[in-house]
Amino acid sequence: MTEQTLSLQQLAAPEGICYGCGCSHSSGLHVQSHWDADGVHLSCRHTPDQTFTGWPGLVYGGLLAMLVDCHCNWTAMAYHYRAEGREPGSLPRIDCVTGQLGLTYLKPTPMGVELLLKARVEGELGRKTRVICEVWAGDVLTVTADSVFVRVDTEKLKRQAHGAA
């Protein structure tokens, strides 16, 4: 596998354990995000497993939220690496967390169809980055998302979450 074919997740966090996008999660989804040819969007392709059926023949909306969350978070992180003129995986590592996740379900998303997620940064204000995403099932736009991701120090965040400020 050449570096050009490696996903941002593989380049920047090969040890990642997130269920959605962690390369090292043994049973996770392994979301893979790549810069689009337009140089503006990050793209991700995913075909949902039948495990993630909501209504018969339809993708569970929670899975769509997870895909958007992971892919948009990586869009924000990729944007920060690029803005700093750094390669993904260079140190210090750039990490973001979800500040606000907003999805609009436009149409039912069918099972058995490869999904295309396309996300771009709409704006940045300090540590916060607004990301816009679309989910396509073939040529049908099924979901749009407008979310905010916050750049963080994950070690500090972990200590705060466990009451050890």
Side-chain angles (χ1 to χ4, degrees), residues 15-25 28-30 66 69-70 74:
E15 77 292 347
I17 58 168
C18 172
Y19 180 79
C21 60
C23 297
S24 293
H25 194 292
L29 300 178
H30 303 126
M66 183 185 335
D69 185 29
C70 287
W74 278 98

Side-chain angles (χ1 to χ4, degrees), residues 28-132:
L29 300 178
H30 303 126
V31 167
Q32 305 266 317
S33 304
H34 299 271
W35 279 107
D36 198 78
D38 68 11
V40 174
H41 293 86
L42 247 67
S43 295
C44 168
R45 295 185 178 276
H46 182 80
T47 303
D49 181 89
Q50 291 295 323
T51 304
F52 296 100
T53 298
W55 292 101
L58 302 177
V59 177
Y60 170 55
L63 173 68
L64 296 168
M66 183 185 335
L67 293 172
V68 166
D69 185 29
C70 287
H71 182 61
C72 288
N73 195 14
W74 278 98
T75 300
M77 290 186 287
Y79 171 85
H80 287 293
Y81 276 111
R82 184 178 270 182
E84 293 179 12
R86 298 172 44 207
E87 290 296 317
S90 62
L91 298 176
R93 187 166 134 170
I94 293 175
D95 289 303
C96 294
V97 295
T98 310
Q100 175 186 347
L101 187 64
L103 278 76
T104 302
Y105 297 90
L106 304 170
K107 296 186 184 246
T109 303
M111 285 302 274
V113 176
E114 181 182 65
L115 305 179
L116 170 64
L117 286 79
K118 288 190 78 163
R120 64 179 163 70
V121 169
E122 180 65 22
E124 177 189 1
L125 182 58
R127 294 179 21 217
K128 294 182 179 181
T129 307
R130 180 178 176 210
V131 179
I132 305 296

